[in-house]
Amino acid sequence: MTITPTVYLETYGCWLNQGDSEIMLALLEDIGFTKVKAPEQADLILVNTCAVRGETERKILRRLKALDAIRKPGSKLIVAGCLATYRPALIASTAPSASLLSTFSVEKVVEVTLTPGRLAVLDKGPRRYLRLPRFKGGRRCVVPIAVGCLGSCAYCVMPLSRGPLRSYPPSEVLRYVKEAVEAGAGEVYLVAQDAAAYGRDIGYSLPNLLRDICKVEGEFMVRVGMMEPSTTLKVLQPLLEAFSDDKVYKFLHCPVQSGSDKVLELMNRRYNVDVFLSIVEAYRSSFPDGSLATDIMVGLPGEEEADFKQTCELLKRIEPDKVHIARFTPRPLTPAASMPHPPDWVKKERSRRLTLLVDELTLQRNRRWLGREVKVLVTGEVKEGSLMGRTYTYKPVVLPRQPGLAWRWVNASITEAHPYYLKATLL
């Protein structure tokens, strides 16, 4: 009787990491591995790590110690991803028997798995393996379109852990999307560290890719991932034209990080507040109801109370639909790690104030939808038996449960507005 080898997989961090995990899992399945849900049962434990936040790093280190202690005799532990690339010595000291695999070498997961003992494959960028895995089914298709970026932000570890921009060939992205849509996918997520930079290294562009994807036959919606302001500005007009296609969610995620030009310059963000505002104004002019998401990091080096107030005033001016708030934590080996920054109690206090402001602003924005009749794509169930859906602007809408509506467009009337979602009745 043939014994099938098993793999247990844990993934931390962004959509790109999840894409890398799927690539590694597909390569392991090609040589006979099957996925299991319990680490104690696995012949191989694969942990794909994130390095962006200090708290996430600490969580991963605790988990690695626990996994190393409970894995069965003779099994192998592989630590892959950004933290293995960025701080390999820290991983080695935490789990000395673990093999390491950098983000630049995910295609070597089979080699590391089959090599007896511990192996560290810590190749440096740029990444060479750019083939997407098979689509495994489901209604949501997550497509990595690029790895790395063109920036060098002072606080960010991504240049160290992901390297320079490498865009997936358009033919590979289109193949993957067609395969997914033919298999029943109703949503396509295009993900990257900076989606607006897509194609800059291969003579192509995000607007071109969007136009090609929208020509794929079938009923599906496309959500474009995070786009850095300086690269978004370079493709803004053709991007807005591509966004006008009915298959594209009117959803723009453009992280400003701070409303202070002084802080943006210190962090080497390569744009100023006026550039960000010009993007928002052009987007809102084209799509007045379109959803706008941004990111704010409080307590960055150089941020004084006046700078924080400028951030608050910027948010009041743009009336965002969603804001991701983070507190700055210095990451080793980044320029910002050696810069003076506000104490933790100040960061926490500013984070609290900003959260209250954002709740007020997003509720105000959502109230504009009260009483309106909208089309909603039902995407699944939420607790208490309700349905969750999305408008064409990617607004989350909670609907009363009714059988047979999954992944169908329905007509609904908005009855309640909350800071993070809308409620509606079916028409």
Side-chain angles (χ1 to χ4, degrees):
M1 182 179 69
T2 303
I3 299 176
T4 303
T6 55
V7 56
Y8 170 80
L9 173 65
E10 281 189 12
T11 305
Y12 296 83
C14 64
W15 286 110
L16 274 180
N17 261 22
Q18 294 186 39
D20 281 352
S21 288
E22 287 301 318
I23 290 172
M24 291 188 286
L25 187 59
L27 292 169
L28 290 168
E29 289 173 343
D30 285 344
I31 62 168
F33 275 80
T34 59
K35 188 178 177 182
V36 293
K37 295 182 178 180
E40 300 91 339
Q41 302 170 355
D43 300 301
L44 169 64
I45 296 175
L46 177 60
V47 183
N48 195 7
T49 60
C50 173
V52 172
R53 307 284 299 158
E55 60 198 63
T56 304
E57 177 183 289
R58 291 187 289 273
K59 177 182 177 181
I60 290 170
L61 295 177
R62 289 193 298 269
R63 183 58 174 159
L64 289 178
K65 287 182 179 179
L67 289 172
D68 204 19
I70 65 174
R71 62 191 176 103
K72 68 182 186 180
S75 64
K76 189 157 195 165
L77 172 62
I78 297 178
V79 182
C82 292
L83 195 57
T85 310
Y86 163 57
R87 304 192 73 184
L90 182 64
I91 299 295
S93 64
T94 302
S97 62
S99 292
L100 305 181
L101 185 62
S102 81
T103 56
F104 306 111
S105 305
V106 295
E107 80 281 4
K108 293 183 179 179
V109 65
V110 171
E111 175 188 337
V112 176
T113 299
L114 298 181
T115 300
R118 180 181 181 275
L119 182 64
V121 179
L122 299 173
D123 299 343
K124 299 298 182 183
R127 185 161 170 173
R128 295 178 295 277
Y129 186 79
L130 287 175
R131 184 175 176 84
L132 293 163
R134 297 179 300 274
F135 179 66
K136 293 185 175 180
R139 290 293 195 167
R140 185 171 290 117
C141 165
V142 179
V143 193
I145 60 173
V147 293
C149 68
L150 296 172
S152 56
C153 300
Y155 56 81
C156 186
V157 304
M158 290 297 103
L160 299 171
S161 63
R162 286 283 180 182
L165 177 71
R166 288 297 310 279
S167 300
Y168 279 82
S171 58
E172 281 296 301
V173 177
L174 287 171
R175 173 192 67 79
Y176 196 75
V177 171
K178 288 177 183 176
E179 186 180 321
V181 171
E182 288 172 0
E187 284 184 331
V188 174
Y189 285 10
L190 304 182
V191 300
Q193 281 171 247
D194 177 10
Y198 173 78
R200 292 277 296 276
D201 56 326
I202 57 174
Y204 203 63
S205 72
L206 177 64
N208 287 336
L209 181 67
L210 273 175
R211 282 191 286 267
D212 288 344
I213 288 174
C214 290
K215 292 175 184 175
V216 173
E217 293 184 4
E219 293 186 10
F220 62 96
M221 294 296 293
V222 181
R223 193 201 75 167
V224 181
M226 183 173 66
M227 293 182 280
E228 202 265 359
S230 65
T231 50
T232 301
L233 186 68
K234 290 181 171 62
V235 295
L236 183 58
Q237 195 53 47
L239 182 67
L240 295 176
E241 292 169 5
F243 261 53
S244 66
D245 194 286
D246 289 341
K247 287 182 176 178
V248 181
Y249 280 123
K250 293 6 171 198
F251 171 80
L252 178 70
H253 182 187
C254 193
V256 65
Q257 300 298 2
S258 174
S260 163
D261 283 342
K262 180 194 80 177
V263 173
L264 292 176
E265 185 176 1
L266 278 172
M267 295 298 99
N268 198 30
R269 285 292 286 174
R270 300 185 180 182
Y271 60 87
N272 57 30
V273 171
D274 283 343
V275 166
F276 175 75
L277 284 172
S278 70
I279 294 169
V280 173
E281 288 164 5
Y283 173 68
R284 286 267 170 82
S285 176
S286 297
F287 310 107
D289 289 331
S291 293
L292 172 68
T294 193
D295 297 4
I296 298 293
M297 189 175 291
V298 298
L300 283 164
E303 183 187 77
E304 299 175 297
E305 181 64 19
D307 303 298
F308 175 72
K309 287 180 178 177
Q310 287 176 14
T311 296
C312 294
E313 291 304 313
L314 174 63
L315 291 179
K316 291 176 186 176
R317 180 172 176 179
I318 65 171
E319 293 188 349
D321 296 83
K322 186 174 183 179
V323 181
H324 304 272
I325 301 171
R327 295 196 295 265
F328 169 74
T329 53
R331 303 297 286 133
L333 306 180
T334 62
S338 59
M339 298 179 184
H341 54 88
D344 286 346
W345 71 268
V346 172
K347 296 176 194 175
K348 290 178 181 178
E349 192 265 345
R350 288 177 183 169
S351 177
R352 182 186 59 80
R353 287 161 58 192
L354 196 63
T355 299
L356 292 173
L357 174 63
V358 167
D359 285 353
E360 177 185 325
L361 293 174
T362 53
L363 177 60
Q364 177 180 304
R365 179 83 177 160
N366 280 348
R367 280 177 175 156
R368 298 171 68 251
W369 292 86
L370 286 172
R372 294 172 63 175
E373 295 183 6
V374 297
K375 286 188 174 294
V376 179
L377 177 62
V378 179
T379 57
E381 290 191 9
V382 290
K383 62 182 180 179
E384 299 175 358
S386 300
L387 297 176
M388 175 61 76
R390 296 281 182 175
T391 68
Y392 75 98
T393 64
Y394 203 63
K395 281 280 185 188
V397 181
V398 177
L399 299 161
R401 191 173 187 275
Q402 186 171 315
L405 297 184
W407 295 98
R408 288 175 53 188
W409 285 96
V410 299
N411 294 314
S413 176
I414 304 300
T415 57
E416 293 182 32
H418 299 266
Y420 305 108
Y421 63 93
L422 302 169
K423 274 192 172 183
T425 56
L426 292 165
L427 295 177

